Every structure is written in structure tokens, then in C-alpha cells.
């Protein structure tokens, strides 16, 4: 009995750090770490531009401790999630040089989610406040 309780306690201690790293926004968008430098935003459906950037900003600010003026970079555009297998996910980083992302020339308007696209945490956070248009 004592050994069983000890084994259960050790198992719980080992699993707790893995589940603690997952993050979900109030809108249900999941964000999982891929490694120490890259995190992946996984919406409930196929995902919109706003959901990806909002999820990235919330995770960067709340989990990674990023400041409002820090920059979030797209590492990998929309594709299959490496952490969940879902069909729609985007990978981001706060450390582009360390993961080999070089920012493309970008004007003030970015409509896609392509590797190298970037936004400040504050600018990306503004996408969290957008209400969906209902017809």
C-alpha cells in the first residue's frame, strides 16, 4: 500500500510539469510549447488571423513574460500541429535569430501568416478585442 501511494505520488509529480505548460485563451485557443524557443497556437476550428495573433500575444505575455514592445515572429505558417496533430496551427517565437527566422521586408499591413511575419506583443494583443461579425 505504501509503495503504491509512493508510486502514484511520483507519477503525479512527473506529469504535473507537462500539463502546466499548456495554455488556453478565454476564447478557447490552445497554445503549446514546441520547445524552449517556439510555441504553437492551435485554434478550435480552422483559425483566423486574429485568433492566431491573439493566442500568440497572450502566451508571450502571460507565460513567457514578454513586454508589450517585444516582437513576436512567425516561425511556421498555417500547417499541422506538431504537439496535437490538429490540421491548423501556427508556430511563433520571441527569439528569431536563435531559431533561424529572418524577417522578410514587410510594410505596415500583413494579411497572411508567413514565416518571418512579425508584430509587437501589444499590436498582436489588439486582435483579442475584435468581435466577430455576425450577419
Amino acid at each position: 500500500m505504501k509503495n503504491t501511494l509512493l508510486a502514484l505520488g511520483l507519477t503525479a509529480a512527473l506529469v504535473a510539469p507537462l500539463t502546466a505548460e499548456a495554455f488556453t485563451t478565454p476564447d478557447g485557443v490552445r497554445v503549446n510549447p514546441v520547445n524552449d524557443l517556439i510555441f504553437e497556437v492551435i485554434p478550435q476550428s480552422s483559425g483566423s488571423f486574429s485568433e492566431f495573433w491573439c493566442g500568440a500575444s497572450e502566451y508571450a505575455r502571460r507565460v513567457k513574460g514578454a513586454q508589450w514592445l517585444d516582437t513576436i515572429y512567425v516561425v511556421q505558417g498555417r500547417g499541422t500541429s506538431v504537439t496535437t496533430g490538429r490540421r491548423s496551427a501556427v508556430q511563433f517565437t520571441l527569439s528569431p535569430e536563435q531559431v533561424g527566422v529572418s524577417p522578410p521586408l514587410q510594410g505596415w499591413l500583413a494579411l497572411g501568416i508567413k514565416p518571418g511575419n512579425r508584430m509587437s506583443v501589444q499590436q498582436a494583443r489588439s486582435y483579442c478585442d475584435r468581435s466577430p461579425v455576425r450577419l
Side-chain angles (χ1 to χ4, degrees), residues 3-90:
N3 287 339
T4 304
L5 289 175
L6 181 61
L8 287 173
L10 288 173
T11 302
L14 291 173
V15 173
L18 296 176
T19 58
E21 293 185 35
F23 176 82
T24 304
T25 69
D27 292 334
V29 175
R30 289 178 49 193
V31 185
N32 295 333
V34 173
N35 58 39
D36 289 342
L37 300 173
I38 299 172
F39 53 95
E40 183 172 68
V41 177
I42 309 140
Q44 290 181 351
S45 62
S46 62
S48 66
F49 184 85
S50 296
E51 287 176 304
F52 288 118
W53 283 106
C54 173
S57 71
E58 287 290 286
Y59 184 82
R61 183 84 173 130
R62 296 175 188 265
V63 176
K64 299 298 252 178
Q67 301 299 310
W68 288 117
L69 297 179
D70 289 346
T71 305
I72 304 169
Y73 294 82
V74 176
V75 174
Q76 178 181 329
R78 189 186 305 252
T80 303
S81 166
V82 298
T83 61
T84 67
R86 291 191 59 121
R87 293 186 341 192
S88 187
V90 174

